[in-house]
Amino acid sequence: MGRALGLRWARAGHEVLFGSRDVKKAKAVAADGSASTQAGDFDAAVAFGEVVLYTVRDYFPSRLLKEPHALSGKIVIDCNNSAILGLDIPDPENRPGIHFTTPVPSHAEELAADTPGARVVKAFNTMASQVIELDRDQLTRRHVSVFLCSDDEQAKLVVKGLAEELGFVGIDCGALERAQLVEPVGDFIRFQIIGMSLGPFATISLDVAPAR
């Protein structure tokens, strides 16, 4: 996700720095961007960006960064899902199936709680990187939605603009707590694909906690 979105934004004219714990890997990705695309570690990326795409799932800034408070005031896009996958047989006819439960709070809410002062926006979690890599004309024709959740309206507008610049359609889904609904959409799409790979008798069971 970081590579796909970062390269597209770089080629659209934005200044981009790819951050990784392996700086050599980040430099290799940056080489495919534009002349101004840079690379560094995670802390360098946070210091550099006005908007930070956070692609590290279930490993929050308080454990990842030397200075987690450096994210304060910055727009942080959370594109992660956090479903816990387990294989079982939920079907009464003993057909193979997939069963998972969506955690509450959402990953985006946990990220916001871990980074007080950051302007967290849930976005881009419902699509594969292969979709993001399509060019603007292809995406525009297909009207691909990016669902946006945030408690910061201005931050949400900035991310909406970044999505639409690439050819997506930004959909305002409300406050950050709505990520509890948006994250299972991404999980459902991924697990439908997994379910189909199990064969014609695969079933998928989705447990979503009731809205508060």
Side-chain angles (χ1 to χ4, degrees), residues 106-138:
S106 65
H107 187 279
E109 290 173 295
E110 289 186 296
L111 178 60
D114 190 75
T115 54
R119 306 163 67 190
V120 176
V121 180
K122 189 75 193 183
F124 298 108
N125 70 298
T126 58
M127 63 193 65
S129 60
Q130 292 89 338
V131 175
I132 296 169
E133 290 168 351
L134 296 174
D135 62 42
R136 192 180 194 283
D137 290 341
Q138 290 177 299

Side-chain angles (χ1 to χ4, degrees), residues 18-210:
F18 289 92
S20 172
R21 59 172 55 90
D22 183 347
V23 178
K24 290 182 180 179
K25 181 178 178 181
K27 287 181 178 179
V29 175
D32 291 332
S34 66
S36 63
T37 306
Q38 302 177 48
D41 61 15
F42 291 132
D43 289 281
V46 170
F48 176 87
E50 296 176 15
V51 179
V52 177
L53 178 69
Y54 197 85
T55 64
V56 186
R57 187 173 72 177
D58 297 329
Y59 202 84
F60 296 104
S62 61
R63 298 176 57 204
L64 189 74
L65 303 174
K66 295 176 183 176
E67 298 291 339
H69 295 296
L71 286 169
S72 182
K74 296 179 182 283
I75 297 173
V76 179
I77 304 172
D78 178 31
C79 63
N80 297 287
N81 292 303
S82 58
I84 301 171
L85 172 62
L87 293 176
D88 60 10
I89 307 177
D91 189 274
E93 297 180 15
N94 290 333
R95 294 178 296 183
I98 296 173
H99 178 275
F100 65 98
T101 300
T102 302
V104 175
S106 65
H107 187 279
E109 290 173 295
E110 289 186 296
L111 178 60
D114 190 75
T115 54
R119 306 163 67 190
V120 176
V121 180
K122 189 75 193 183
F124 298 108
N125 70 298
T126 58
M127 63 193 65
S129 60
Q130 292 89 338
V131 175
I132 296 169
E133 290 168 351
L134 296 174
D135 62 42
R136 192 180 194 283
D137 290 341
Q138 290 177 299
L139 288 170
T140 300
R141 290 197 302 270
R142 289 169 170 80
H143 305 285
V144 180
S145 297
V146 171
F147 302 115
L148 306 159
C149 306
S150 181
D151 294 332
D152 187 314
E153 293 299 321
Q154 183 59 38
K156 191 162 36 178
L157 283 174
V158 170
V159 179
K160 183 175 187 287
L162 288 170
E164 293 182 346
E165 184 177 0
L166 301 183
F168 294 103
V169 179
I171 305 296
D172 188 338
C173 295
L176 194 63
E177 69 174 356
R178 296 290 181 85
Q180 295 177 19
L181 300 176
V182 171
E183 288 183 11
V185 174
D187 291 328
F188 185 70
I189 292 170
R190 291 189 296 121
F191 288 109
Q192 282 279 32
I193 295 170
I194 294 172
M196 286 187 289
S197 72
L198 294 176
F201 299 108
T203 63
I204 291 179
S205 173
L206 173 65
D207 288 346
V208 180

